[in-house]
Amino acid sequence: MNAVDHVRDMAAAGLHSNVRLISSLLLTMTVFTGSEIPAAGVPRRRHLPRQGVPRGAAANLPPEIEVKYKIAECYTILKMDKDAISVLDGIPSRQRTPKINMMLANLYRKAGQERSAVTSYKEVLRQCPLALDAIIGLLSLSVKGAEVASMTMDVIQSIPNLDWLSVWIKAHAFIHAGDNHRAINTICSLDKKSLLRDNVDLVVALADVYFRAGDTKNAILKFEQAQMHDPCLIKGMDVYGYLMAREGHLEDVEVLGGRLFNISDQHAEPWVISGCHSFYSKRYSRALYLGAKAIQLNSNSVQALLLKGAALRNMGRVQEAIIHFREAMRLAPCRLDCYEGLIDCYLASNGIREAMGMANNIYKTLGANAQTLTILATVCLEDPVTQEKAKALLDKALAQRPDYIKAVVKKAELLSREQKYDEGITLLRNTLANQSDCVLHRMLGDFLVAVNEYQEAMDQYSIALSLDPNDQKSLEGMQKMEKEESPTDATVELDGDDMEGSGEDGDLEGSDSEAAQWGDQEQWFGMQ
């Protein structure tokens, strides 16, 4: 069998998400090899031959098996996952086709039945060794990359120009292990040296890993690159919209959200993007509604959970926000922003002990990198007894990554408390020499006010506002100076707050009463 035969088999078996992903990669290969994939291999269902299930799957299945599958599909649409599992569990193992095993695996995973999910994903992969969604499912459940790769080794060795697949598996194994640095290097090697250069799915994966690693600049660049290759791209655009909103580019976020609504209003991403626009415009009730709407469309949308949790937190509904953050953590255990949101909630409710326990757990689990060190230092800064420990942790973080903005912000806050303004100015100037960031310019302005450098402070506030016209603290700093208030009489406060959170209330998908008022205003978001 060649690669196209495998694609045909998966299409005939109903593994359409797997077909789309492998076809995307194979089509990119054709650009560099000059070969062609026949029309039957492209993931358009009307062109795919109906030739039964793949080799090794049960043949001549009784019609009641397909009926049970359709019933389970209906249950999943109705969010009745337990009933869907019950129906599929009633199908004998030998009569389970790849699409039945794939649905069961996804349902088991969602229900926290990890061992059963692994068994079902492996069965999909046994029948369809190029089912990449099943591979990702196994890796997300902590199955070792080497074990997963061994299940595809025969097909890799039997098909020309497919050696990149083992590297692809390795990259995704690093992603799901939280090893962002090695994931970035591995994906970059695929993008630069293999037949997959500029593949949209690969570029989006790289953008997402840059985001997880806290490298906002490169994440945005890669998301923009992916958009240029595919103007109709939806996957990953929720994260891109969040980053753009956080950076203060609200007009661009509004345009992005409207464009995605025109493509499809049945995906969570455009709702999340519009929600991020509302959140950073301080319209939290609207952000809450939009986050809830996104969860209704996709209950596994981590970004939607983070948006709703952040809105709940900022509305003072901390306990409800905590539930959302925990659900986001369950779905994405290697995404640090999920943990940061939960820690913020603990700190907001004076739960320093809980926050410290969570931060220590992240530190021990994911190791001492700049991000985990900064998270632990952030909690230590809340307790006067652990200020020195916070300083040591931040110094370690900055020694690893001198340009890591969150660490710089926290170190500057600490220096402000200690009134070491000259040292803070040096730190901020050195960081801004290599990158421009609204929060850093604003904080530098605050430090310059403290040492009576009023004109340069005004310049820094102006730069901050040029980067984010909605930054209220920069505006307040500028207004104070324009009123010629005595800066030395005022306490210098530095605040690097960003939206980090996610969360979940008892009903993750329901919109709350404060947000319900926006339900009748869907036309505002480009809906008809």
Side-chain angles (χ1 to χ4, degrees):
M1 292 178 69
N2 58 30
V4 174
D5 292 330
H6 283 280
V7 174
R8 286 195 181 109
D9 275 355
M10 287 192 290
L15 298 179
H16 302 298
S17 65
N18 291 273
V19 170
R20 193 212 65 80
L21 183 52
I22 188 66
S23 296
S24 166
L25 296 166
L26 293 175
L27 286 169
T28 301
M29 286 175 55
T30 64
V31 175
F32 295 99
T33 62
S35 59
E36 293 184 3
I37 293 180
V42 181
R44 295 173 183 167
R45 294 182 62 180
R46 62 180 179 274
H47 294 312
L48 293 167
R50 298 179 180 275
Q51 57 183 55
V53 298
R55 295 177 301 172
N60 301 318
L61 295 177
E64 58 264 25
I65 300 299
E66 183 67 18
V67 172
K68 287 184 178 181
Y69 176 79
K70 294 295 185 183
I71 291 172
E73 271 191 323
C74 293
Y75 277 134
T76 59
I77 293 171
L78 295 171
K79 314 298 183 185
M80 300 169 67
D81 292 347
K82 290 183 180 179
D83 296 280
I85 291 174
S86 178
V87 170
L88 296 177
D89 271 341
I91 300 174
S93 297
R94 291 184 179 181
Q95 292 184 317
R96 292 177 187 173
T97 61
K99 69 178 180 181
I100 291 173
N101 279 312
M102 192 72 191
M103 181 183 284
L104 260 177
N106 290 334
L107 288 168
Y108 283 141
R109 177 183 167 194
K110 188 176 177 181
Q113 301 179 43
E114 295 186 0
R115 187 172 299 178
S116 297
V118 167
T119 300
S120 295
Y121 280 131
K122 284 183 176 179
E123 185 59 26
V124 174
L125 208 54
R126 185 185 69 80
Q127 296 178 339
C128 302
L130 293 184
L132 302 190
D133 267 351
I135 289 175
I136 292 173
L138 287 171
L139 295 173
S140 71
L141 293 169
S142 301
V143 178
K144 297 295 183 182
E147 181 183 351
V148 176
S150 69
M151 300 178 70
T152 65
M153 195 55 63
D154 289 343
V155 72
I156 290 174
Q157 293 175 348
S158 65
I159 298 177
N161 296 323
L162 206 63
D163 53 333
W164 54 264
L165 182 56
S166 59
V167 183
W168 184 93
I169 293 172
K170 183 179 179 181
H172 283 272
F174 285 141
I175 290 172
H176 290 286
D179 193 340
N180 296 321
H181 179 70
R182 287 203 283 180
I184 289 169
N185 289 340
T186 307
I187 296 175
C188 284
S189 72
L190 275 174
D191 187 53
K192 293 176 182 177
K193 300 178 183 178
S194 77
L195 301 174
L196 301 178
R197 189 176 304 124
D198 293 334
N199 174 265
V200 172
D201 287 299
L202 210 58
V203 174
V204 170
L206 183 56
D208 189 63
V209 182
Y210 274 128
F211 161 65
R212 293 179 184 219
D215 189 343
T216 299
K217 180 180 178 181
N218 277 317
I220 289 176
L221 287 174
K222 287 299 175 182
F223 278 127
E224 289 174 347
Q225 180 183 340
Q227 273 197 116
M228 286 190 290
H229 290 307
D230 182 3
C232 293
L233 179 66
I234 292 179
K235 181 182 178 181
M237 290 297 99
D238 51 350
V239 175
Y240 175 55
Y242 159 65
L243 290 174
M244 294 292 285
R246 194 179 72 182
E247 294 296 298
H249 306 302
L250 294 183
E251 291 184 5
D252 293 333
V253 173
E254 189 171 15
V255 171
L256 175 66
R259 184 166 62 79
L260 261 64
F261 272 124
N262 289 332
I263 296 171
S264 172
D265 60 6
Q266 294 304 304
H267 289 77
E269 285 84 349
W271 297 93
V272 172
I273 292 168
S274 290
C276 289
H277 181 277
S278 296
F279 183 93
Y280 283 99
S281 301
K282 302 189 185 302
R283 292 176 289 187
Y284 302 125
S285 291
R286 180 178 288 177
L288 180 62
Y289 163 72
L290 292 165
K293 180 69 175 180
I295 293 170
Q296 285 180 345
L297 292 169
N298 181 5
S299 59
N300 292 325
S301 172
V302 174
Q303 210 60 40
L305 289 165
L306 293 175
L307 169 64
K308 190 177 177 189
L312 288 165
R313 182 194 62 206
N314 282 24
M315 293 169 69
R317 297 162 60 176
V318 176
Q319 294 306 313
E320 294 173 66
I322 286 174
I323 301 172
H324 283 80
F325 290 126
R326 285 178 176 163
E327 175 65 6
M329 284 169 49
R330 187 186 70 81
L331 292 171
C334 291
R335 275 189 58 168
L336 288 176
D337 51 343
C338 302
Y339 297 91
E340 289 174 313
L342 185 57
I343 288 172
D344 285 345
C345 286
Y346 286 145
L347 294 177
S349 56
N350 296 318
I352 294 180
R353 179 178 297 180
E354 292 86 351
M356 186 64 74
M358 178 65 67
N360 275 313
N361 183 54
I362 299 168
Y363 179 81
K364 292 175 183 177
T365 303
L366 299 180
N369 57 56
Q371 292 169 284
T372 58
L373 288 164
T374 303
I375 290 172
L376 185 55
T378 299
V379 181
C380 290
L381 284 171
E382 298 298 317
D383 189 345
V385 178
T386 53
Q387 297 294 294
E388 286 302 315
K389 182 179 179 181
K391 183 177 180 181
L393 291 167
L394 290 170
D395 287 341
K396 286 182 181 178
L398 290 170
Q400 288 188 23
R401 283 180 59 182
D403 62 341
Y404 185 46
I405 290 178
K406 289 183 179 178
V408 173
V409 167
K410 292 301 175 183
K411 181 66 182 293
E413 288 177 358
L414 181 60
L415 293 172
S416 176
R417 293 182 190 181
E418 297 173 344
Q419 298 185 352
K420 296 180 179 178
Y421 301 123
D422 290 334
E423 191 174 337
I425 289 171
T426 301
L427 170 69
L428 293 166
R429 286 196 197 281
N430 289 341
T431 307
L432 286 168
N434 300 312
Q435 58 187 319
S436 188
D437 178 82
C438 170
V439 174
L440 298 184
H441 282 291
R442 181 228 300 158
M443 295 179 83
L444 179 55
D446 292 338
F447 271 105
L448 290 167
V449 169
V451 296
N452 301 324
E453 296 287 345
Y454 305 131
Q455 184 55 53
E456 190 177 355
M458 181 71 79
D459 294 340
Q460 293 299 324
Y461 290 138
S462 297
I463 296 172
L465 286 169
S466 70
L467 295 171
D468 182 0
N470 298 292
D471 186 53
Q472 191 63 32
K473 289 185 171 61
S474 295
L475 187 60
E476 290 172 357
M478 182 173 286
Q479 288 173 343
K480 285 181 182 179
M481 296 193 62
E482 288 174 346
K483 293 177 180 178
E484 296 184 352
E485 292 183 0
S486 175
T488 55
D489 292 339
T491 301
V492 178
E493 294 185 359
L494 302 176
D495 189 342
D497 287 350
D498 271 324
M499 164 191 166
E500 297 296 343
S502 56
E504 137 198 8
D505 65 6
D507 177 8
L508 291 177
E509 297 171 2
S511 63
D512 303 82
S513 57
E514 289 93 332
Q517 60 181 306
W518 302 109
D520 297 326
Q521 298 191 18
E522 293 185 354
Q523 273 194 318
W524 186 88
F525 305 106
M527 306 293 296
Q528 299 298 327

